[in-house]
Amino acid sequence: MAERQVIDARGAFCPGPLMELIAALKLAAVGDEVEVWSSDQGSIKDIPEWIKKVGHEMVGIEERKGYAEIVVRKLK
Amino acid sequence: MAKKILIVGGGLAGTIVGNGLCRKIGSELSRGDIVITMLGATNQHLYQPGLLYVPFGRIRESELVRDQRKVIDKRVVFHVDPAVNIDVDKQEVTTESGRVHGYDYLVIATGSRVMPQTIPGMAEGAHWFYELDAARKMRDALDKFEGGKVVVNVNAPHKCPVAPLEITFMLQELFEQRGIADKCEITYTYPIGRLHALEPVAEWALPEMEQRGIKYETFFNTKSVDPKARTITSEEGSTLPFDLLVTIPPHQGQQVIEDSDLGKGGWVPTNKLTLHREGSENVFVVGDTTNIPISKAGSTAHFEADTIVDNLASLLTEGRMARDYDGKVYCFVETGLTTGTYVWFNYTTPPNPGPPSQMIHWLKLAYNRMYWLSARGLL
């Protein structure tokens, strides 16, 4: 059964939300989802850009107060 | 009955916790009210940041390693007998020899390890310097290297986030010193869309690389290495040829964490302020082992260890926590073989690296010796 892991990377300067996402996807099973919370405005652009390049699925982005919840599904 | 503190792991973090506690609760230890036990995997204490200098022959190996029994305070009962199972419900840790240690407070400091074997061809086709044997092999390869394409390849997750930039700039300067720079082409690859996770460091590194003629490719997450064809291919679909491949392999936590069902990938879910294992009031996690979204680095482990020392000493003597961990990280950054800079930040203060200087380089070299005072809890 697919799982969803939540990573609270708000305020994380290093390694940062995208690097945390990449690391989490390596450990996830195909079909699992990873939800990253990021207060870095750049994540809204660079996470979808990387997901498109590498071939996973953007499930959605929810804007919250001061941060975004970005959900990705592992496809391969 | 004596309170039992059990430290699993005898690296930097576990050692600073053990030595720091001895300095704080010496009276209680003398009276036998508290007993500290440490379970290590080896009797050797390795100063891992010094491995960066091994491929360049810039450090004697004897400077990197000391007998752990001489580094850890004699009041800590030290066993070379690594944990194979940690049961936080029963409050018991089972070791390789079959011994079972109970505890009142547990400190998990098992660290991380490189996992080149998780990427096809990497172990056979690449060099790395995060382990002593591998760093020696890289030194031999560099000694024979007369020019060609060099790829410095960075994978996530990894510890010591500035080391990939350091090795890149140091290689470039080495080739210049040897007079073979015009025969060498260095390409640096990084997993995300800039040259470093820290944005100010990435902004600093970009003109440095361009000025030094170092090529780069971002959004490069390694899929495979072909050791025969001497190519490296990314998940994003790019393939680069190489004559010498230097990789920062992906890391994972230790097997005992996964075997004990304490965290996927060997990373233990940890409260980023108290450093408690999530769900446990008497289990602390320190250093690379945590899943906190923060740099896995010696300085992180050091500052976390200091927090745990203060909190454990306070819990044992006054029944209260002393303070939170503020997310402090401080890293020296070698910007070549003769200059360096530094970067520090915490949960609320962004990093702001200063201009490289010879003085910071010398300070980093001095710290490489002073580390042994840090490990003893004196610095």
Side-chain angles (χ1 to χ4, degrees), chain B residues 266-326:
Chain B
W267 316 121
V268 180
T270 304
N271 183 296
K272 71 177 198 176
L273 299 175
T274 66
L275 304 175
H276 280 121
R277 171 187 173 261
E278 295 287 2
S280 295
E281 288 288 300
N282 65 339
V283 180
F284 291 91
V285 192
V286 61
D288 292 353
T289 317
T290 80
N291 77 334
I292 302 173
I294 192 172
S295 308
K296 294 192 182 301
S299 75
T300 312
H302 184 157
F303 295 124
E304 288 176 350
D306 284 347
T307 309
I308 290 175
V309 168
D310 286 348
N311 284 330
L312 261 179
S314 199
L315 280 167
L316 288 159
T317 57
E318 298 179 5
R320 63 174 182 88
M321 293 280 279
R323 65 182 174 99
D324 285 340
Y325 172 57
D326 66 357

Side-chain angles (χ1 to χ4, degrees), chain B residues 8-9 12 18 50 80 82 91 186 198 213 233 235 247 304 324 366 370:
Chain B
V8 179
L12 181 157
V80 180
Q91 298 190 193
I186 302 177
L198 288 166
T233 299
E235 294 283 357
T247 191
E304 288 176 350
D324 285 340
M370 290 191 288

Side-chain angles (χ1 to χ4, degrees), chain A residues 1-14:
Chain A
M1 193 172 150
E3 293 179 3
R4 179 182 286 194
Q5 179 188 350
V6 177
I7 301 168
D8 183 356
R10 290 175 295 177
F13 296 118
C14 182

Side-chain angles (χ1 to χ4, degrees), chain B residues 20-82:
Chain B
L21 280 173
C22 287
R23 292 171 69 81
K24 293 256 180 188
I25 53 170
S27 306
E28 289 81 357
L29 290 169
S30 301
R31 287 198 300 269
D33 294 345
I34 297 172
V35 175
I36 306 174
T37 303
M38 172 179 280
L39 305 175
T42 167
N43 59 6
Q44 303 268 289
H45 188 112
L46 174 67
Y47 174 60
Q48 294 181 53
L51 292 171
L52 173 70
Y53 301 90
V54 172
F56 303 93
R58 298 283 172 122
I59 201 162
R60 284 176 295 121
E61 290 182 14
S62 60
E63 293 179 72
L64 298 176
V65 180
R66 294 209 179 163
D67 182 342
Q68 174 67 355
R69 286 192 167 84
K70 290 186 176 161
V71 180
I72 191 74
D73 192 294
K74 286 186 169 45
R75 290 169 286 183
V76 174
V77 182
F78 175 61
H79 301 285
V80 180
D81 192 11

Side-chain angles (χ1 to χ4, degrees), chain B residues 165-362:
Chain B
L165 282 176
E166 293 182 296
I167 198 86
T168 303
F169 292 133
M170 290 166 81
L171 282 170
Q172 186 267 336
E173 207 165 308
L174 178 78
F175 298 150
E176 278 200 353
Q177 285 183 358
R178 280 202 200 152
I180 59 168
D182 58 335
K183 295 184 208 159
C184 299
E185 178 189 280
I186 302 177
T187 304
Y188 170 92
T189 75
Y190 205 66
I192 64 172
R194 56 182 184 239
L195 296 178
H196 193 265
L198 288 166
E199 201 166 355
V201 173
E203 284 168 4
W204 162 79
L206 182 65
E208 287 285 328
M209 284 199 187
E210 288 180 341
Q211 187 224 325
R212 298 176 195 218
I214 297 168
K215 296 184 170 185
Y216 50 84
E217 184 161 333
T218 54
F219 284 134
F220 191 105
N221 287 278
T222 313
K223 183 179 184 182
S224 62
V225 174
D226 186 334
K228 282 190 185 158
R230 293 188 172 182
T231 58
I232 179 168
T233 299
S234 74
E235 294 283 357
E236 292 82 357
S238 172
T239 296
L240 298 173
F242 65 81
D243 296 297
L244 179 71
L245 175 60
V246 177
T247 191
I248 314 301
H251 285 53
Q252 284 185 14
Q254 299 295 348
Q255 193 64 42
V256 63
I257 302 299
E258 290 219 75
D259 291 347
S260 307
D261 207 19
L262 290 178
K264 201 186 257 188
W267 316 121
V268 180
T270 304
N271 183 296
K272 71 177 198 176
L273 299 175
T274 66
L275 304 175
H276 280 121
R277 171 187 173 261
E278 295 287 2
S280 295
E281 288 288 300
N282 65 339
V283 180
F284 291 91
V285 192
V286 61
D288 292 353
T289 317
T290 80
N291 77 334
I292 302 173
I294 192 172
S295 308
K296 294 192 182 301
S299 75
T300 312
H302 184 157
F303 295 124
E304 288 176 350
D306 284 347
T307 309
I308 290 175
V309 168
D310 286 348
N311 284 330
L312 261 179
S314 199
L315 280 167
L316 288 159
T317 57
E318 298 179 5
R320 63 174 182 88
M321 293 280 279
R323 65 182 174 99
D324 285 340
Y325 172 57
D326 66 357
K328 187 175 178 185
V329 180
Y330 181 107
C331 297
F332 287 112
V333 188
E334 293 284 25
T335 53
L337 292 171
T338 55
T339 58
T341 182
Y342 69 93
V343 57
W344 88 268
F345 52 96
N346 62 21
Y347 288 141
T348 54
T349 311
N352 183 22
S357 71
Q358 209 170 38
M359 190 184 74
I360 301 294
H361 164 69
W362 285 110

